[in-house]
Amino acid sequence: MTNRPTDKASKKRLTIEMTAAFLLKRRLITKESYSDIAARGEEQMTRLRLLNEAGGANKRTSQGIVVVTPAEAIAALELEIPGAGGKLLNEDVITEAVAAETGLPYMKLDPIKLELDVVTGHVPRPFALRHMIVPVENNAGVITLAVIDPYDMEAVESLKHAKNLKTRLVLSSKSDVLKIVREFFGFHSSIAAAQAEMQPGVDLGNLEQFVKLRGQGEIDATDSHIVRAVSYLFQYAFDQRASDIHIEPKRDKSIVRLRIDGILHTVHSTPKAVHAPITSRIKMLSRMDITEKRRPQDGRIKTSHNDKELELRVSTLPTAFGEKIVIRIFDPDMMMQDIEKLGFYPREYQLYDSFIRRPNGIILVTGPTGSGKTTTLYSSLRILSSPEVNIVTLEEPIEMVIEEFNQVSVQQSIGVTFATMLRTILRQDPDIIMVGEIRDKETADNAIQSALTGHLVLSTLHTNDSPSSITRLLDLGIPSFLISSTLIGIIAQRLVRKICVHCKSQRVLTEDETGYLKLDKNTTYTINYGEGCIECRGTGYRGRTAIFEVMEFTERVRRVLSDKVDLNNLYAAAAADGMITLREAAIRKMLEGITTYEEVIFMT
């Protein structure tokens, strides 16, 4: 029988002792840990409260009342869950246990799945902060409220009577509720205030809009509300591990989407009236011309998050309804990784490591946009970088500014091209040259000449696999004998989503699936998949890893190379040398339980 809150219990509060008893009952702590909580719990709550009052980890509410929960205090003790392999008792686990014992549903609050109007439309910000209550769902007029204390019903009852609401309660952690209150109310209040200051007028960016001959007013990009809204948006994207932010104008509104693990999620819908000032603010931060709205522009922003520097690459594009902005987020920890952690198998890692240790020659990294080529190249250059080596990169644009490299930005409009700058770079006494992309014969010729004159050249091509890169060079007009004498190796790569470790489950491949993958039909294959949980937002995936096809330019490959080489012969020669294809690498990742059958099919 659960301890569901009743009217009689509505005035009592959840205590450390009650929470510890719930945890002990559910075997999430030992009796020794229970005694430890009883001895240290109140002291821990007092310490956290004092930290809050001093302006520590959590801000106090607008009413001057500091909320500290038992779950927060117990989590701070960093106790291990018995039999969980060292997993610590965190605030979410404790809150879920309390929910189960008190009869309230537990909800992990996912900002991606919450609607701005629902969160901010029923409860004022001061009330939400004071009582740690936030609306999270509106189902046919019934408002779901996330609370942090299953027994504190006073605030809920007063809200129901004041707003005449039909409510349903769920229990969430204080950290989740506080995060939602700060982010959603901050963004909403900034947008609402900005919209209120707008004067009705003509949206010149909307090609469909009927033009009335009247004055147009616009909020300045430095308006405090817009400044706060953009700041909230950036911090929200960083917290969600987004790789890209899309701000897209539509006919009557503007939508904000985040790309997380390669998939776009719609997170906000804002009034069309504030799209232009938000765009102007971002253009101002990225040093673009805010008056130019008819041509695409590129810019960059350097900022920080959690004491870590981030680089944002900003691109604008005029569309039918106004300027669309895409912001790519570059995290140095993701862009500059240890090569062995990128996803290479031992053979492929050893081969690639031997490639980049060569004194001269060409190494090609190939794959579509968004396949992780830049991460592979930057991580390689990081290994090779030293005071004794001169590394020069030629990029369009520079993805991330790195002090150890001499980075040059290609600007086609003024004649600064890959080909022309390669000739100039050779007069800069380089040891290693990175060319962002080989896309024409002149660039390819200069890269070949750089390799022939004793330089190590790393570059990219847009081909589907490693052998196709050779035919691409031949198509550009590079003679086979020059390819044979300069090419060290080719790496093709893709990114696949990893299965969430928190909801990993197993199933058996069907006969049709086994046949499609061309596996042994007489063998039963058990693979993993993600059921979907609060940690992965119900997707079943969390994070990505790379798969690689590494082709070494061996004597066997050189023997089949000619100006009219057959691609099948190249594949056969590379396979004879031990090359595994992208498809084979993806299947191997699937059989190892890292990714799913669906990802293999989508990738190949």
Side-chain angles (χ1 to χ4, degrees), residues 364 435-440 443-444 447 459-461 472-473 476:
L364 294 177
V435 182
E437 182 185 351
I438 294 176
R439 60 178 66 159
D440 54 45
T443 305
S459 188
T460 69
L461 276 178
R472 172 66 176 150
L473 291 176
L476 288 175

Side-chain angles (χ1 to χ4, degrees), residues 40 50 66 97 115 222 284 297 417 539 574:
R40 298 168 56 200
L50 290 173
V66 180
E115 295 180 16
T222 57
M284 182 183 294
Q297 295 187 70
T417 65
T539 64

Side-chain angles (χ1 to χ4, degrees), residues 508-534:
V508 175
L509 279 180
T510 66
E511 187 176 335
D512 288 343
E513 291 170 341
T514 301
Y516 184 81
L517 296 177
K518 297 181 180 178
L519 298 174
D520 183 3
K521 291 187 177 181
N522 297 319
T523 303
T524 299
Y525 296 95
T526 300
I527 63 169
N528 291 343
Y529 70 98
E531 292 185 333
C533 67
I534 56 178

Side-chain angles (χ1 to χ4, degrees), residues 319-335:
T319 68
F321 299 114
E323 284 185 287
K324 175 184 174 179
I325 287 189
V326 174
I327 304 166
R328 175 154 288 188
I329 302 168
F330 292 103
D331 183 343
D333 291 343
M334 296 301 295
M335 291 287 291

Side-chain angles (χ1 to χ4, degrees), residues 265-282:
H265 302 264
T266 299
V267 295
H268 286 309
S269 175
T270 64
K272 185 65 183 293
V274 298
H275 177 79
I278 286 177
T279 300
S280 295
R281 173 62 183 171
I282 294 172

